[in-house]
Amino acid sequence: MIAESLTLTVSLRGTRDVRGKCQIFRLTGLLDAFSEPTFRKVLNRYIEEGPTHIILDLSAIDFVDSSGLGALVQLVKKAKGESGSVQVVTNARVTQTVKLVRLEKFLSLQPTVEAALENLKDS
């Protein structure tokens, strides 16, 4: 399947594609107070539409602030409420930010999309 482009904000762009029982979102730019409301609204809609297993590839994200982290936490809760899951693929900068607030287990950090897909198979 060809990934569809997501219209988020000037500072946050991405694509979405569906693989089997999961949706993969690849995002670039900034996940901050400016982009967070749109990010949350768009991803909540996709979780409701399904499938409810989500892989968020944030490996090309330049910056995540507390608003972005809050949106990620809400996304995990929403997906779990719909019997789904969220796994977050990160880069060093995002990992460092997540570890500062001790959310690495809750956000199920993964090194690659492939690792996240394998993890999904095992669950």
Side-chain angles (χ1 to χ4, degrees), residues 6-13 30 32 34-36 38-39:
L6 297 176
T7 304
L8 296 162
T9 68
V10 173
S11 61
L12 182 67
R13 293 169 302 287
L30 310 174
D32 57 10
F34 177 74
S35 60
E36 178 271 329
T38 304
F39 168 81

Side-chain angles (χ1 to χ4, degrees), residues 29-123:
L30 310 174
L31 184 50
D32 57 10
F34 177 74
S35 60
E36 178 271 329
T38 304
F39 168 81
R40 188 188 303 232
K41 187 173 82 180
V42 169
L43 267 81
N44 278 338
R45 183 171 43 99
Y46 280 119
I47 289 172
E48 287 166 7
E49 291 173 7
T52 55
H53 293 290
I54 305 294
I55 296 174
L56 273 179
D57 182 354
L58 304 183
S59 61
I61 286 288
D62 297 318
F63 178 75
V64 177
D65 71 2
S66 58
S67 300
L69 289 174
L72 292 174
V73 168
Q74 292 303 317
L75 204 61
V76 170
K77 290 178 177 178
K78 170 97 174 154
K80 286 183 177 178
E82 305 271 343
S83 302
S85 65
V86 174
Q87 298 182 75
V88 181
V89 178
T90 64
N91 58 32
R93 187 177 296 127
V94 174
T95 299
Q96 183 180 19
T97 304
V98 169
K99 285 185 171 181
L100 276 174
V101 290
R102 299 198 168 126
L103 286 171
E104 60 269 25
K105 295 251 189 307
F106 184 77
L107 295 177
S108 187
L109 296 190
Q110 300 295 328
T112 64
V113 170
E114 290 69 31
L117 287 166
E118 280 301 312
N119 197 39
L120 197 57
K121 283 184 200 164
D122 295 342
S123 60

